[in-house]
Each structure stands twice: as structure tokens, then as C-alpha cells.
PDB file of all heavy atoms in Angstrom:
ATOM      1  N   ALA A 657       5.688  13.470  -2.562  1.00  0.00           N
ATOM      2  CA  ALA A 657       6.100  12.555  -3.632  1.00  0.00           C
ATOM      3  C   ALA A 657       6.545  11.232  -3.068  1.00  0.00           C
ATOM      4  O   ALA A 657       6.148  10.144  -3.559  1.00  0.00           O
ATOM      5  CB  ALA A 657       7.243  13.173  -4.455  1.00  0.00           C
ATOM      6  N   VAL A 658       7.345  11.254  -2.005  1.00  0.00           N
ATOM      7  CA  VAL A 658       7.825  10.013  -1.379  1.00  0.00           C
ATOM      8  C   VAL A 658       6.651   9.240  -0.751  1.00  0.00           C
ATOM      9  O   VAL A 658       6.518   8.020  -0.917  1.00  0.00           O
ATOM     10  CB  VAL A 658       8.907  10.314  -0.349  1.00  0.00           C
ATOM     11  CG1 VAL A 658       9.203   9.082   0.480  1.00  0.00           C
ATOM     12  CG2 VAL A 658      10.154  10.791  -1.024  1.00  0.00           C
ATOM     13  N   LEU A 659       5.795   9.927  -0.042  1.00  0.00           N
ATOM     14  CA  LEU A 659       4.655   9.261   0.591  1.00  0.00           C
ATOM     15  C   LEU A 659       3.698   8.685  -0.465  1.00  0.00           C
ATOM     16  O   LEU A 659       3.139   7.606  -0.263  1.00  0.00           O
ATOM     17  CB  LEU A 659       3.901  10.254   1.492  1.00  0.00           C
ATOM     18  CG  LEU A 659       4.619  10.651   2.763  1.00  0.00           C
ATOM     19  CD1 LEU A 659       3.886  11.778   3.487  1.00  0.00           C
ATOM     20  CD2 LEU A 659       4.789   9.452   3.698  1.00  0.00           C
ATOM     21  N   GLY A 660       3.541   9.372  -1.590  1.00  0.00           N
ATOM     22  CA  GLY A 660       2.729   8.843  -2.661  1.00  0.00           C
ATOM     23  C   GLY A 660       3.298   7.550  -3.245  1.00  0.00           C
ATOM     24  O   GLY A 660       2.542   6.608  -3.552  1.00  0.00           O
ATOM     25  N   THR A 661       4.630   7.500  -3.397  1.00  0.00           N
ATOM     26  CA  THR A 661       5.213   6.266  -3.909  1.00  0.00           C
ATOM     27  C   THR A 661       5.123   5.154  -2.903  1.00  0.00           C
ATOM     28  O   THR A 661       4.930   3.975  -3.296  1.00  0.00           O
ATOM     29  CB  THR A 661       6.706   6.501  -4.254  1.00  0.00           C
ATOM     30  OG1 THR A 661       7.417   6.925  -3.103  1.00  0.00           O
ATOM     31  CG2 THR A 661       6.856   7.533  -5.350  1.00  0.00           C
ATOM     32  N   PHE A 662       5.242   5.430  -1.610  1.00  0.00           N
ATOM     33  CA  PHE A 662       5.061   4.392  -0.630  1.00  0.00           C
ATOM     34  C   PHE A 662       3.638   3.864  -0.651  1.00  0.00           C
ATOM     35  O   PHE A 662       3.399   2.658  -0.533  1.00  0.00           O
ATOM     36  CB  PHE A 662       5.368   4.949   0.793  1.00  0.00           C
ATOM     37  CG  PHE A 662       6.862   5.157   1.055  1.00  0.00           C
ATOM     38  CD1 PHE A 662       7.248   5.768   2.219  1.00  0.00           C
ATOM     39  CD2 PHE A 662       7.796   4.776   0.140  1.00  0.00           C
ATOM     40  CE1 PHE A 662       8.602   5.967   2.482  1.00  0.00           C
ATOM     41  CE2 PHE A 662       9.133   4.953   0.377  1.00  0.00           C
ATOM     42  CZ  PHE A 662       9.573   5.555   1.536  1.00  0.00           C
ATOM     43  N   GLU A 663       2.683   4.757  -0.759  1.00  0.00           N
ATOM     44  CA  GLU A 663       1.282   4.334  -0.820  1.00  0.00           C
ATOM     45  C   GLU A 663       1.060   3.421  -2.038  1.00  0.00           C
ATOM     46  O   GLU A 663       0.388   2.391  -1.922  1.00  0.00           O
ATOM     47  CB  GLU A 663       0.395   5.587  -0.944  1.00  0.00           C
ATOM     48  CG  GLU A 663      -1.078   5.279  -1.090  1.00  0.00           C
ATOM     49  CD  GLU A 663      -1.916   6.531  -1.339  1.00  0.00           C
ATOM     50  OE1 GLU A 663      -1.454   7.659  -1.010  1.00  0.00           O
ATOM     51  OE2 GLU A 663      -3.043   6.364  -1.881  1.00  0.00           O
ATOM     52  N   ASP A 664       1.616   3.791  -3.158  1.00  0.00           N
ATOM     53  CA  ASP A 664       1.445   3.011  -4.398  1.00  0.00           C
ATOM     54  C   ASP A 664       2.113   1.619  -4.230  1.00  0.00           C
ATOM     55  O   ASP A 664       1.563   0.605  -4.610  1.00  0.00           O
ATOM     56  CB  ASP A 664       2.054   3.745  -5.562  1.00  0.00           C
ATOM     57  CG  ASP A 664       1.678   3.148  -6.910  1.00  0.00           C
ATOM     58  OD1 ASP A 664       0.679   2.437  -6.968  1.00  0.00           O
ATOM     59  OD2 ASP A 664       2.348   3.426  -7.883  1.00  0.00           O
ATOM     60  N   THR A 665       3.319   1.625  -3.647  1.00  0.00           N
ATOM     61  CA  THR A 665       4.042   0.369  -3.492  1.00  0.00           C
ATOM     62  C   THR A 665       3.336  -0.583  -2.522  1.00  0.00           C
ATOM     63  O   THR A 665       3.206  -1.793  -2.796  1.00  0.00           O
ATOM     64  CB  THR A 665       5.470   0.636  -2.987  1.00  0.00           C
ATOM     65  OG1 THR A 665       6.131   1.537  -3.875  1.00  0.00           O
ATOM     66  CG2 THR A 665       6.302  -0.648  -2.907  1.00  0.00           C
ATOM     67  N   VAL A 666       2.858  -0.101  -1.393  1.00  0.00           N
ATOM     68  CA  VAL A 666       2.161  -0.912  -0.434  1.00  0.00           C
ATOM     69  C   VAL A 666       0.907  -1.526  -1.053  1.00  0.00           C
ATOM     70  O   VAL A 666       0.643  -2.729  -0.938  1.00  0.00           O
ATOM     71  CB  VAL A 666       1.789  -0.107   0.828  1.00  0.00           C
ATOM     72  CG1 VAL A 666       0.813  -0.899   1.708  1.00  0.00           C
ATOM     73  CG2 VAL A 666       3.017   0.233   1.641  1.00  0.00           C
ATOM     74  N   GLY A 667       0.140  -0.674  -1.785  1.00  0.00           N
ATOM     75  CA  GLY A 667      -1.058  -1.175  -2.429  1.00  0.00           C
ATOM     76  C   GLY A 667      -0.773  -2.203  -3.514  1.00  0.00           C
ATOM     77  O   GLY A 667      -1.400  -3.232  -3.616  1.00  0.00           O
ATOM     78  N   THR A 668       0.240  -1.928  -4.338  1.00  0.00           N
ATOM     79  CA  THR A 668       0.628  -2.817  -5.415  1.00  0.00           C
ATOM     80  C   THR A 668       1.091  -4.166  -4.935  1.00  0.00           C
ATOM     81  O   THR A 668       0.633  -5.216  -5.389  1.00  0.00           O
ATOM     82  CB  THR A 668       1.715  -2.189  -6.290  1.00  0.00           C
ATOM     83  OG1 THR A 668       1.227  -0.952  -6.878  1.00  0.00           O
ATOM     84  CG2 THR A 668       2.137  -3.121  -7.447  1.00  0.00           C
ATOM     85  N   LEU A 669       2.040  -4.173  -3.981  1.00  0.00           N
ATOM     86  CA  LEU A 669       2.531  -5.453  -3.470  1.00  0.00           C
ATOM     87  C   LEU A 669       1.474  -6.185  -2.674  1.00  0.00           C
ATOM     88  O   LEU A 669       1.432  -7.419  -2.672  1.00  0.00           O
ATOM     89  CB  LEU A 669       3.767  -5.190  -2.590  1.00  0.00           C
ATOM     90  CG  LEU A 669       4.988  -4.658  -3.329  1.00  0.00           C
ATOM     91  CD1 LEU A 669       6.153  -4.441  -2.360  1.00  0.00           C
ATOM     92  CD2 LEU A 669       5.409  -5.618  -4.438  1.00  0.00           C
ATOM     93  N   GLY A 670       0.605  -5.456  -2.012  1.00  0.00           N
ATOM     94  CA  GLY A 670      -0.475  -6.115  -1.274  1.00  0.00           C
ATOM     95  C   GLY A 670      -1.421  -6.869  -2.228  1.00  0.00           C
ATOM     96  O   GLY A 670      -1.761  -8.014  -1.984  1.00  0.00           O
ATOM     97  N   ARG A 671      -1.782  -6.221  -3.309  1.00  0.00           N
ATOM     98  CA  ARG A 671      -2.637  -6.860  -4.296  1.00  0.00           C
ATOM     99  C   ARG A 671      -1.953  -8.040  -4.972  1.00  0.00           C
ATOM    100  O   ARG A 671      -2.548  -9.089  -5.195  1.00  0.00           O
ATOM    101  CB  ARG A 671      -3.119  -5.865  -5.351  1.00  0.00           C
ATOM    102  CG  ARG A 671      -4.125  -4.813  -4.801  1.00  0.00           C
ATOM    103  CD  ARG A 671      -4.694  -3.970  -5.960  1.00  0.00           C
ATOM    104  NE  ARG A 671      -3.659  -3.188  -6.598  1.00  0.00           N
ATOM    105  CZ  ARG A 671      -3.297  -1.954  -6.182  1.00  0.00           C
ATOM    106  NH1 ARG A 671      -3.840  -1.449  -5.097  1.00  0.00           N
ATOM    107  NH2 ARG A 671      -2.370  -1.291  -6.829  1.00  0.00           N
ATOM    108  N   TYR A 672      -0.666  -7.889  -5.270  1.00  0.00           N
ATOM    109  CA  TYR A 672       0.071  -8.943  -5.942  1.00  0.00           C
ATOM    110  C   TYR A 672       0.174 -10.187  -5.089  1.00  0.00           C
ATOM    111  O   TYR A 672       0.009 -11.310  -5.598  1.00  0.00           O
ATOM    112  CB  TYR A 672       1.477  -8.440  -6.311  1.00  0.00           C
ATOM    113  CG  TYR A 672       2.334  -9.466  -6.930  1.00  0.00           C
ATOM    114  CD1 TYR A 672       2.215  -9.769  -8.291  1.00  0.00           C
ATOM    115  CD2 TYR A 672       3.289 -10.185  -6.209  1.00  0.00           C
ATOM    116  CE1 TYR A 672       3.011 -10.729  -8.902  1.00  0.00           C
ATOM    117  CE2 TYR A 672       4.081 -11.186  -6.788  1.00  0.00           C
ATOM    118  CZ  TYR A 672       3.944 -11.427  -8.128  1.00  0.00           C
ATOM    119  OH  TYR A 672       4.696 -12.417  -8.714  1.00  0.00           O
ATOM    120  N   HIS A 673       0.406 -10.004  -3.810  1.00  0.00           N
ATOM    121  CA  HIS A 673       0.563 -11.165  -2.919  1.00  0.00           C
ATOM    122  C   HIS A 673      -0.761 -11.610  -2.298  1.00  0.00           C
ATOM    123  O   HIS A 673      -0.802 -12.553  -1.477  1.00  0.00           O
ATOM    124  CB  HIS A 673       1.531 -10.844  -1.791  1.00  0.00           C
ATOM    125  CG  HIS A 673       2.951 -10.700  -2.249  1.00  0.00           C
ATOM    126  ND1 HIS A 673       3.705 -11.750  -2.679  1.00  0.00           N
ATOM    127  CD2 HIS A 673       3.753  -9.593  -2.371  1.00  0.00           C
ATOM    128  CE1 HIS A 673       4.907 -11.356  -3.036  1.00  0.00           C
ATOM    129  NE2 HIS A 673       4.945 -10.039  -2.849  1.00  0.00           N
ATOM    130  N   GLY A 674      -1.868 -10.969  -2.692  1.00  0.00           N
ATOM    131  CA  GLY A 674      -3.176 -11.398  -2.251  1.00  0.00           C
ATOM    132  C   GLY A 674      -3.508 -11.044  -0.813  1.00  0.00           C
ATOM    133  O   GLY A 674      -4.385 -11.662  -0.203  1.00  0.00           O
ATOM    134  N   HIS A 675      -2.839 -10.028  -0.253  1.00  0.00           N
ATOM    135  CA  HIS A 675      -3.149  -9.587   1.108  1.00  0.00           C
ATOM    136  C   HIS A 675      -4.340  -8.689   1.134  1.00  0.00           C
ATOM    137  O   HIS A 675      -4.467  -7.807   0.254  1.00  0.00           O
ATOM    138  CB  HIS A 675      -1.941  -8.910   1.720  1.00  0.00           C
ATOM    139  CG  HIS A 675      -0.739  -9.770   1.879  1.00  0.00           C
ATOM    140  ND1 HIS A 675      -0.800 -11.006   2.478  1.00  0.00           N
ATOM    141  CD2 HIS A 675       0.557  -9.599   1.518  1.00  0.00           C
ATOM    142  CE1 HIS A 675       0.407 -11.557   2.494  1.00  0.00           C
ATOM    143  NE2 HIS A 675       1.245 -10.729   1.881  1.00  0.00           N
ATOM    144  N   THR A 676      -5.178  -8.840   2.093  1.00  0.00           N
ATOM    145  CA  THR A 676      -6.368  -7.966   2.215  1.00  0.00           C
ATOM    146  C   THR A 676      -6.186  -6.958   3.355  1.00  0.00           C
ATOM    147  O   THR A 676      -7.072  -6.110   3.526  1.00  0.00           O
ATOM    148  CB  THR A 676      -7.627  -8.813   2.475  1.00  0.00           C
ATOM    149  OG1 THR A 676      -7.440  -9.570   3.676  1.00  0.00           O
ATOM    150  CG2 THR A 676      -7.901  -9.743   1.291  1.00  0.00           C
ATOM    151  N   GLY A 677      -5.099  -7.068   4.082  1.00  0.00           N
ATOM    152  CA  GLY A 677      -4.928  -6.198   5.255  1.00  0.00           C
ATOM    153  C   GLY A 677      -4.044  -5.002   5.014  1.00  0.00           C
ATOM    154  O   GLY A 677      -3.474  -4.446   5.973  1.00  0.00           O
ATOM    155  N   THR A 678      -3.846  -4.606   3.767  1.00  0.00           N
ATOM    156  CA  THR A 678      -2.979  -3.473   3.494  1.00  0.00           C
ATOM    157  C   THR A 678      -3.674  -2.124   3.550  1.00  0.00           C
ATOM    158  O   THR A 678      -3.045  -1.093   3.478  1.00  0.00           O
ATOM    159  CB  THR A 678      -2.331  -3.613   2.085  1.00  0.00           C
ATOM    160  OG1 THR A 678      -3.382  -3.709   1.110  1.00  0.00           O
ATOM    161  CG2 THR A 678      -1.458  -4.840   2.010  1.00  0.00           C
ATOM    162  N   ARG A 679      -5.017  -2.153   3.676  1.00  0.00           N
ATOM    163  CA  ARG A 679      -5.793  -0.919   3.663  1.00  0.00           C
ATOM    164  C   ARG A 679      -5.364  -0.011   4.827  1.00  0.00           C
ATOM    165  O   ARG A 679      -5.191   1.195   4.643  1.00  0.00           O
ATOM    166  CB  ARG A 679      -7.295  -1.207   3.774  1.00  0.00           C
ATOM    167  CG  ARG A 679      -8.128   0.070   3.858  1.00  0.00           C
ATOM    168  CD  ARG A 679      -9.594  -0.229   3.756  1.00  0.00           C
ATOM    169  NE  ARG A 679     -10.397   0.922   4.050  1.00  0.00           N
ATOM    170  CZ  ARG A 679     -10.585   1.942   3.221  1.00  0.00           C
ATOM    171  NH1 ARG A 679     -10.009   1.946   2.026  1.00  0.00           N
ATOM    172  NH2 ARG A 679     -11.314   2.990   3.555  1.00  0.00           N
ATOM    173  N   ASP A 680      -5.167  -0.602   6.021  1.00  0.00           N
ATOM    174  CA  ASP A 680      -4.737   0.208   7.169  1.00  0.00           C
ATOM    175  C   ASP A 680      -3.411   0.831   6.948  1.00  0.00           C
ATOM    176  O   ASP A 680      -3.162   1.998   7.319  1.00  0.00           O
ATOM    177  CB  ASP A 680      -4.733  -0.644   8.450  1.00  0.00           C
ATOM    178  CG  ASP A 680      -6.148  -1.020   8.910  1.00  0.00           C
ATOM    179  OD1 ASP A 680      -7.107  -0.368   8.478  1.00  0.00           O
ATOM    180  OD2 ASP A 680      -6.270  -1.967   9.697  1.00  0.00           O
ATOM    181  N   ALA A 681      -2.479   0.090   6.323  1.00  0.00           N
ATOM    182  CA  ALA A 681      -1.155   0.606   6.034  1.00  0.00           C
ATOM    183  C   ALA A 681      -1.240   1.789   5.048  1.00  0.00           C
ATOM    184  O   ALA A 681      -0.560   2.809   5.218  1.00  0.00           O
ATOM    185  CB  ALA A 681      -0.216  -0.474   5.494  1.00  0.00           C
ATOM    186  N   VAL A 682      -2.060   1.624   4.023  1.00  0.00           N
ATOM    187  CA  VAL A 682      -2.253   2.704   3.040  1.00  0.00           C
ATOM    188  C   VAL A 682      -2.860   3.935   3.694  1.00  0.00           C
ATOM    189  O   VAL A 682      -2.459   5.079   3.433  1.00  0.00           O
ATOM    190  CB  VAL A 682      -3.131   2.210   1.878  1.00  0.00           C
ATOM    191  CG1 VAL A 682      -3.529   3.379   0.974  1.00  0.00           C
ATOM    192  CG2 VAL A 682      -2.391   1.163   1.070  1.00  0.00           C
ATOM    193  N   LEU A 683      -3.869   3.710   4.548  1.00  0.00           N
ATOM    194  CA  LEU A 683      -4.486   4.838   5.259  1.00  0.00           C
ATOM    195  C   LEU A 683      -3.502   5.586   6.151  1.00  0.00           C
ATOM    196  O   LEU A 683      -3.529   6.804   6.241  1.00  0.00           O
ATOM    197  CB  LEU A 683      -5.676   4.356   6.070  1.00  0.00           C
ATOM    198  CG  LEU A 683      -6.930   3.958   5.286  1.00  0.00           C
ATOM    199  CD1 LEU A 683      -7.970   3.357   6.212  1.00  0.00           C
ATOM    200  CD2 LEU A 683      -7.502   5.188   4.578  1.00  0.00           C
ATOM    201  N   THR A 684      -2.601   4.829   6.769  1.00  0.00           N
ATOM    202  CA  THR A 684      -1.556   5.456   7.605  1.00  0.00           C
ATOM    203  C   THR A 684      -0.699   6.412   6.770  1.00  0.00           C
ATOM    204  O   THR A 684      -0.385   7.537   7.186  1.00  0.00           O
ATOM    205  CB  THR A 684      -0.691   4.415   8.290  1.00  0.00           C
ATOM    206  OG1 THR A 684      -1.520   3.623   9.150  1.00  0.00           O
ATOM    207  CG2 THR A 684       0.435   5.044   9.085  1.00  0.00           C
ATOM    208  N   ILE A 685      -0.311   5.960   5.589  1.00  0.00           N
ATOM    209  CA  ILE A 685       0.514   6.789   4.694  1.00  0.00           C
ATOM    210  C   ILE A 685      -0.291   8.000   4.243  1.00  0.00           C
ATOM    211  O   ILE A 685       0.232   9.134   4.193  1.00  0.00           O
ATOM    212  CB  ILE A 685       0.991   5.970   3.505  1.00  0.00           C
ATOM    213  CG1 ILE A 685       1.877   4.793   3.982  1.00  0.00           C
ATOM    214  CG2 ILE A 685       1.771   6.846   2.533  1.00  0.00           C
ATOM    215  CD1 ILE A 685       2.237   3.812   2.890  1.00  0.00           C
ATOM    216  N   GLN A 686      -1.555   7.780   3.929  1.00  0.00           N
ATOM    217  CA  GLN A 686      -2.385   8.905   3.506  1.00  0.00           C
ATOM    218  C   GLN A 686      -2.515   9.962   4.600  1.00  0.00           C
ATOM    219  O   GLN A 686      -2.523  11.172   4.340  1.00  0.00           O
ATOM    220  CB  GLN A 686      -3.754   8.401   3.044  1.00  0.00           C
ATOM    221  CG  GLN A 686      -3.710   7.595   1.750  1.00  0.00           C
ATOM    222  CD  GLN A 686      -5.056   6.963   1.416  1.00  0.00           C
ATOM    223  OE1 GLN A 686      -5.914   6.811   2.267  1.00  0.00           O
ATOM    224  NE2 GLN A 686      -5.229   6.603   0.157  1.00  0.00           N
TER     225      GLN A 686
END
């Protein structure tokens, strides 16, 4: 549950701020 929320937060904030390099961070959490 915690890892899922971290994944969601990283992806959401990355898209909001226009970052394209969050995929690796999301994959790490996955």
C-alpha cells in the first residue's frame, strides 16, 4: 500500500512539473 502511494505520488508530481525522468524512479518503486 505504501509503495503504491509512493509510485502514484512520484508519477503525479513528475507529470505536474513536466519532468520526463521520473520513469526510472517509478520503476525502482515497482
Side-chain angles (χ1 to χ4, degrees):
V658 169
L659 289 172
T661 59
F662 286 174
E663 178 186 338
D664 194 20
T665 304
V666 169
T668 298
L669 293 180
R671 290 188 296 273
Y672 177 80
H673 291 290
H675 296 309
T676 58
T678 58
R679 176 173 171 77
D680 288 343
V682 170
L683 285 174
T684 297
I685 298 171
Q686 290 174 340

